[in-house]
């Protein structure tokens, strides 16, 4: 996996995928991409989750897609409300799909499919509500 920077078009594809996923579920999805943090990806993902104030959703159903490009790492992290409702291996299929595409350097495709899958999976537990609020921005967040 080489380092990568999203083009404007690719960024739009991902924002679109998040928007689409959030039309299925009240869950809030975010993507954070950074190069090479000097820490354990899971620990770092937890920090980013806090930094983006993702624990502030009403139903505690925020989901972070965290990517460390130089480390070839991907972490999917859901908030408390999700953990309380779903089985431990809930994200496995999503994770495998994303990582499978990453191995072939298809980052955008991997993230896009992962986000859409996550939206579908969350739908059963957190259905979309007519009075939905976009609690967390759909923009892609980036670190150094
Ligand atoms: Ca929402
Ligand atoms: Ca959102």
């Amino acid at each position: 996996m080489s380092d990568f920077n999203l083009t404007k078009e690719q960024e739009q594809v991902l924002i679109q995928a998040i928007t689409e996923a959030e039309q299925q579920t009240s869950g809030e999805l975010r993507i954070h991409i950074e190069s090479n943090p000097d820490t354990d990806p899971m620990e770092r993902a937890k920090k980013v989750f806090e930094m983006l104030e993702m624990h502030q959703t009403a139903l505690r159903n925020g989901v972070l897609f965290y990517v460390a490009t130089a480390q070839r790492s991907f972490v999917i992290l859901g908030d408390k409300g999700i953990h309380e409702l779903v089985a431990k291996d809930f994200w496995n299929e999503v994770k495998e799909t994303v990582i499978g595409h990453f191995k072939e350097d298809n980052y955008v495709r991997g993230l896009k499919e992962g986000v859409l899958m996550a939206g579908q999976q969350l739908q059963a537990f957190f259905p979309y509500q007519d009075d939905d609020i976009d609690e967390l921005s759909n923009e892609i967040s980036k670190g150094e």
Side-chain angles (χ1 to χ4, degrees):
M1 179 161 162
S2 50
D3 230 344
F4 74 106
N5 287 305
L6 295 175
T7 64
K8 281 262 172 293
E9 287 76 17
Q10 290 173 322
E11 208 165 313
Q12 282 309 314
V13 167
L14 294 179
I15 292 170
Q16 182 59 41
I18 292 172
T19 306
E20 211 177 297
E22 288 187 3
Q23 281 161 8
Q24 319 264 317
T25 177
S26 62
E28 291 284 332
L29 299 123
R30 289 214 66 163
I31 298 174
H32 180 89
I33 297 173
E34 59 188 13
S35 174
N36 186 23
D38 226 4
T39 44
D40 175 67
M42 181 49 95
E43 290 308 308
R44 176 64 188 155
K46 286 179 183 164
K47 286 219 174 72
V48 169
F49 197 95
E50 273 173 41
M51 190 180 85
L52 295 173
E53 304 194 326
M54 291 188 62
H55 51 280
Q56 307 262 9
T57 61
L59 297 175
R60 300 296 301 263
N61 57 1
V63 179
L64 174 64
F65 282 66
Y66 171 80
V67 184
T69 56
Q71 290 181 324
R72 303 178 73 106
S73 313
F74 170 70
V75 173
I76 184 166
L77 192 61
D79 203 356
K80 220 171 112 203
I82 296 170
H83 284 299
E84 281 165 6
L85 283 177
V86 308
K88 226 173 90 195
D89 58 355
F90 182 67
W91 298 121
N92 280 358
E93 207 187 330
V94 176
K95 236 187 282 177
E96 277 165 26
T97 299
V98 175
I99 287 168
H101 286 300
F102 275 25
K103 282 185 180 147
E104 294 175 354
D105 283 349
N106 289 326
Y107 309 112
V108 176
R109 179 147 174 226
L111 289 170
K112 178 185 167 178
E113 286 185 14
V115 162
L116 293 176
M117 277 174 85
Q120 276 160 13
Q121 301 226 50
L122 282 173
Q123 190 177 22
F125 300 95
F126 298 98
Y128 181 82
Q129 310 285 339
D130 285 337
D131 57 352
D132 181 76
I133 299 165
D134 188 23
E135 294 173 286
L136 300 172
S137 164
N138 297 354
E139 297 292 319
I140 312 305
S141 139
K142 292 169 211 152
E144 319 73 72

